[in-house]
Amino acid sequence: MAACKECKKFFPQEDQPAKGDCVRRQMDPRQAFYTAKPVSADNNAASCSEFQKK
């Protein structure tokens, strides 16, 4: 079972390593930008389409 903490898009918080942000690069016709979503490190990432193993 893959967990969010095993993904290269997961960045843990310094004060709470069990929590972090899922940072994704998005592109629209004019520019590229990043979005961040708070997640738990132990979330099941099996159904995540953006999962990339570190």
Side-chain angles (χ1 to χ4, degrees):
M1 179 176 97
C4 286
K5 64 184 175 188
E6 299 170 4
C7 181
K8 71 180 203 176
K9 295 180 180 181
F10 177 77
F11 295 88
Q13 294 178 354
E14 290 182 8
D15 56 339
Q16 294 179 333
K19 295 182 178 180
D21 290 324
C22 177
V23 179
R24 298 178 182 182
R25 186 170 192 241
Q26 306 285 323
M27 294 182 69
D28 67 15
R30 292 182 37 207
Q31 62 187 356
F33 54 96
Y34 291 92
T35 60
K37 181 175 82 173
V39 295
S40 175
D42 294 326
N43 274 1
N44 184 357
S47 62
C48 181
S49 62
E50 300 286 330
F51 181 81
Q52 293 181 351
K53 187 119 178 132
K54 286 184 181 179

